[in-house]
């Protein structure tokens, strides 16, 4: 039986969350954020700075489009979607350092991180159900 320390250490080695990804982006860390959802989902909205590579296309496209030494983070719709895990498997088969962003696009949006579609930036929403929402106090 796996002990708790080993289990949770292995889990965190292979996943991240929207807050950590956003902090890494703001800090200028190099990671390739990959949206593995289909075309309609991508068109509707996506994480700013992400690239679109549906999980079924990764085996063919990734070696041509993403440096194999890159750190890759994949995401799909939400915790109820397993396309992120499917995408992570495809990147892992190719030897990439890959993590799945738990919570997916849903939690990225709910935490108010930047999103866009073909027309530009989408409104930012801060959901008090999933994060602390602070009001600014005039000084």
């Amino acid at each position: 039986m796996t002990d708790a320390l080993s289990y949770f250490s292995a889990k965190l080695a292979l996943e991240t969350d929207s807050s950590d990804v956003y902090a890494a982006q703001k800090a200028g860390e190099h990671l390739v954020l990959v949206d593995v959802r289909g075309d309609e989902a991508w068109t509707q909205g996506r994480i700013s700075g992400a690239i679109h590579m549906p999980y079924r296309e990764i085996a063919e496209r990734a070696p041509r489009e993403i440096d194999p030494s890159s750190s890759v983070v994949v995401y799909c719709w939400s915790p109820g979607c397993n396309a992120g895990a499917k995408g992570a498997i495809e990147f892992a088969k190719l030897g990439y350092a890959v993590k799945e962003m738990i919570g997916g696009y849903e939690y990225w949006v709910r935490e108010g991180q930047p999103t866009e579609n073909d027309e530009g930036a989408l409104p930012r929403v801060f959901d008090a159900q999933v994060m602390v929402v602070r009001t600014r106090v005039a000084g």
Side-chain angles (χ1 to χ4, degrees):
M1 183 163 160
T2 303
D3 68 277
L5 178 60
S6 298
Y7 172 80
F8 289 109
S9 296
K11 182 177 177 177
L12 287 176
L14 300 173
E15 68 183 27
T16 188
D17 65 24
S18 58
S19 295
D20 288 343
V21 171
Y22 186 58
Q25 286 179 327
K26 285 176 47 176
E29 292 179 30
H30 178 70
L31 59 86
V32 179
L33 188 57
V34 180
D35 185 321
V36 299
R37 301 173 301 152
D39 294 340
E40 289 180 311
W42 171 261
T43 299
Q44 181 174 307
R46 67 253 185 188
I47 296 173
S48 299
I51 64 169
H52 184 224
M53 190 174 296
Y55 72 89
R56 289 182 176 96
E57 299 175 8
I58 292 169
E60 179 187 335
R61 289 180 51 196
R64 294 191 323 260
E65 299 177 30
I66 300 175
D67 183 330
S69 67
S70 297
S71 295
V72 175
V73 174
V74 296
Y75 72 90
C76 64
W77 274 110
S78 69
C81 173
N82 67 6
K86 291 174 183 177
I89 286 170
E90 293 303 315
F91 277 106
K93 285 179 185 176
L94 296 169
Y96 286 86
V98 60
K99 290 185 177 188
E100 179 183 14
M101 187 178 79
I102 61 171
Y105 183 71
E106 175 188 355
Y107 277 75
W108 184 273
V109 170
R110 292 176 76 182
E111 291 181 15
Q113 315 305 17
T115 58
E116 62 187 37
N117 63 19
D118 293 343
E119 284 78 48
L122 294 170
R124 293 177 78 173
V125 177
F126 299 90
D127 185 345
Q129 297 296 314
V130 300
M131 64 178 295
V132 174
V133 178
R134 295 180 181 94
T135 56
R136 294 180 189 236
V137 178

